[in-house]
Amino acid sequence: MTKLFSITFYVLSSGLLLSLIAARDAGYLRPHATSDIIRIKVGENPGSVEIADFNHDKFPDIAVASESDSTVTILLGNGKGSFKDAQRSPFFVGPQPNDISIRDFNRDGNEDLAIANHEKKYLTVLLGSGTGNFNNAPGSPFATAGIPHVHGIAAGDFNQDGKWDLATDSWGNDNVEILFGGSQALFNSSTVFFKVGKRPYQRLRAADLNADGHDDIVTTNTEGNNVTILLSNGKQNFHEVAGSPFPCGDNPFGIAIGDINADGKPDLAIINSPGSMGAGKGKNGLTVLLNDGKGIFTTMRGSPYDAGKIPNRIAIGDVNGDGVNDIVTSDSDSNNIYVFLMTKAGIVLSASVITVGNHAKGIAIADLDGNGKADIVVSNNMDDDIAVILSK
């Protein structure tokens, strides 16, 4: 007999009702509930979280990288907010998986995983089977030459050849490094470097920022207190857009790309985290940069917003179903996540705090139960689990 466990609470400052629900459907995981959240066990010290459909059932699934046991856990969704472990999950992905990029790297119609292995000079790629299972890609891990080692990863077709390429950080020489997709091997053995700002540490992301059909690159430059915008020419080269790097607050750390003010242009939501840096100075918080459509960014009024003691990761999605994307950040010091409800005017309507597990870290947003509102997944780094928060 199927049973439903539901725990609800109100976020008073916004009137937003969030419901923590997990269905105990036959064959699905049975998350255990504490007094205020529902959790699903994963690997040791989970960090990065991403969402995609790994088994072609049109329901969102979850990938969770666990830093201490070198694995990624794949949780297959049933479209109702419940999840089960994929067969053979968790999968070995190499030491200290720190960041995840999901694309169909071998063009077989199945989503694959690319992992940045922190403190290593390589990237690990796992190929998906289309059922939720993964195997090491031929040639993986793929060597990098950056200084001192990799932290973040982003994928894009930077030379318009129909093959996915990988970008990673090389903060020791203020560069990004690109591994271009190969014709024989999955990725070419030689890499190319492009100059960015001062210490592009931890995160970089890729998207078409100027609507020319080419994937561009954004880096957060932690010692420059800015972001660099590299526009691709679609021919394996980049140039820095006029005005770049753009100021974005103190010690920019995490970053997410998405349309925040519903104007159809991809904007930037950035975590400012001096608390995450050994010698960091300044103000923790959330800074939003709005895009003019040409890849030129201006700071949204009100930035930076309070995002806790040690803000860490960030995600964008419409959690209240009003047609405008919202922003959620994690605070690894206070075990909280912060929900920023946005408006088309480019302002924060309200900011609310939800307490989750111990050392909230990775965060992702997607509609997991098909109700038209984006839900939140948070990795609790010191509890070896994730919290799934369904928007009601």
Side-chain angles (χ1 to χ4, degrees):
M1 178 177 177
T2 298
K3 296 181 180 179
L4 183 69
F5 288 79
S6 178
I7 298 176
T8 61
F9 58 90
Y10 290 88
V11 182
L12 297 177
S13 64
S14 67
L16 175 66
L17 176 63
L18 294 178
S19 179
L20 300 176
I21 305 174
R24 294 180 65 174
D25 294 335
Y28 274 74
L29 285 180
R30 299 182 177 185
H32 65 275
T34 67
S35 60
D36 56 358
I37 67 171
I38 293 174
R39 302 175 177 178
I40 301 173
K41 281 290 184 182
V42 289
E44 296 178 17
N45 301 123
S48 291
V49 177
E50 297 292 342
I51 298 173
D53 180 9
F54 296 120
N55 60 348
H56 299 289
D57 64 358
K58 299 183 180 180
F59 300 138
D61 309 311
I62 301 173
V64 187
S66 298
E67 299 161 347
S68 293
D69 63 7
S70 306
T71 66
V72 61
T73 297
I74 302 298
L75 300 170
L76 301 179
N78 68 351
K80 300 177 183 179
S82 290
F83 297 86
K84 66 177 180 180
D85 257 316
Q87 188 177 9
R88 297 175 45 228
S89 175
F91 302 94
F92 179 74
V93 290
Q96 297 189 56
N98 191 59
D99 200 10
I100 305 172
S101 183
I102 301 174
R103 293 289 189 276
D104 179 8
F105 294 111
N106 63 344
R107 296 176 292 170
D108 66 350
N110 303 319
E111 297 282 31
D112 309 312
L113 305 175
I115 307 289
N117 296 100
H118 187 204
E119 297 190 359
K120 300 296 179 182
K121 294 172 78 72
Y122 54 71
L123 305 172
T124 297
V125 177
L126 297 185
L127 300 182
S129 67
T131 64
N133 290 322
F134 289 84
N135 293 289
N136 210 43
S140 179
F142 295 92
T144 59
I147 303 171
H149 44 250
V150 303
H151 300 87
I153 191 170
D157 183 2
F158 301 124
N159 55 359
Q160 296 293 288
D161 65 352
K163 303 180 183 72
W164 291 109
D165 312 307
L166 294 177
T168 189
D169 58 294
S170 177
W171 66 257
N173 56 2
D174 299 333
N175 277 246
V176 295
E177 180 180 7
I178 297 179
L179 288 71
F180 287 99
S183 56
Q184 301 298 324
L186 197 59
F187 296 99
N188 293 327
S189 57
S190 59
T191 60
V192 181
F193 289 86
F194 295 93
K195 197 74 174 176
V196 291
K198 190 173 182 182
R199 197 175 185 185
Y201 177 65
Q202 283 292 339
R203 295 293 174 264
L204 74 169
R205 291 294 180 255
D208 182 4
L209 300 175
N210 60 346
D212 66 352
H214 307 320
D215 289 323
D216 309 307
I217 296 175
V218 183
T219 67
T220 52
N221 308 314
T222 55
E223 291 187 5
N225 297 335
N226 50 38
V227 293
T228 293
I229 307 298
L230 291 180
L231 298 182
S232 170
N233 67 356
K235 298 178 180 178
Q236 205 161 310
N237 209 345
F238 293 83
H239 70 275
E240 201 166 345
V241 71
S244 175
F246 297 99
C248 63
D250 300 320
N251 294 144
F253 197 77
I255 184 170
I257 302 176
D259 181 8
I260 292 169
N261 56 353
D263 65 355
K265 303 165 186 174
D267 307 305
L268 305 178
I270 298 160
I271 284 293
N272 302 115
S273 191
S276 295
M277 306 295 294
K281 296 180 180 179
K283 184 177 181 179
N284 291 315
L286 161 69
T287 295
V288 178
L289 300 186
L290 300 178
N291 188 359
D292 71 348
K294 299 178 181 179
I296 297 175
F297 292 83
T298 56
T299 304
M300 191 179 79
R301 54 182 169 171
S303 295
Y305 296 89
D306 179 28
K309 297 179 181 179
I310 305 182
N312 192 279
R313 308 287 179 102
I314 188 166
I316 295 173
D318 182 8
V319 299
N320 62 348
D322 65 352
V324 181
N325 282 326
D326 309 301
I327 303 170
V328 181
T329 67
S330 61
D331 178 5
S332 63
D333 182 78
S334 67
N335 308 332
N336 293 329
I337 62 171
Y338 285 65
V339 180
F340 298 87
L341 298 183
M342 307 301 297
T343 72
K344 291 182 179 180
I347 61 173
V348 173
L349 175 65
S350 64
S352 307
V353 181
I354 303 172
T355 299
V356 288
N358 195 11
H359 287 259
K361 197 168 186 180
I363 195 161
I365 302 177
D367 184 2
L368 302 175
D369 57 1
N371 71 347
K373 299 178 182 180
D375 309 301
I376 303 168
V377 179
V378 186
S379 63
N380 301 310
N381 186 257
M382 298 303 291
D383 290 331
D384 300 339
D385 61 23
I386 63 170
V388 178
I389 305 171
L390 300 181
S391 298
K392 188 173 181 179

